[in-house]
Amino acid sequence: MKIYRFLTGDDTSAFCHKVTEALSKGWELYGEPSYAYDAANGVMRCGQAVTKEADVDYSADLKLGQL
């Protein structure tokens, strides 16, 4: 089954590390990254979708980051 996650975070090196960690665990980039201004908090926010093939049955209780 293909698993999908959408990683988000402030535009800092921590977000880059989050994406890099996912890639190191076998996740693959999916689509273009997103970048938007969060007016409520006054910061830029980033997002990146990632996918991974996993031999599991779907359940809403899956902890996607642990696959």
Side-chain angles (χ1 to χ4, degrees), residues 2-18:
K2 185 172 277 199
I3 308 293
Y4 173 90
R5 292 174 65 198
F6 189 68
L7 307 174
T8 62
D10 291 347
D11 182 21
T12 65
S13 63
F15 176 76
C16 295
H17 285 283
K18 183 187 290 190

Side-chain angles (χ1 to χ4, degrees), residues 17-55:
H17 285 283
K18 183 187 290 190
V19 174
T20 300
E21 179 182 24
L23 294 173
S24 75
K25 292 181 177 180
W27 292 85
E28 297 180 2
L29 298 176
Y30 181 82
E32 298 295 322
S34 61
Y35 194 61
Y37 182 67
D38 178 351
N41 295 304
V43 296
M44 293 301 292
R45 303 269 297 159
C46 301
Q48 175 64 58
V50 292
T51 61
K52 181 179 186 179
E53 288 292 334
D55 189 23

Side-chain angles (χ1 to χ4, degrees), residues 52-66:
K52 181 179 186 179
E53 288 292 334
D55 189 23
V56 297
D57 291 326
Y58 176 75
S59 165
D61 297 326
L62 281 175
K63 302 293 184 198
L64 300 178
Q66 295 176 358

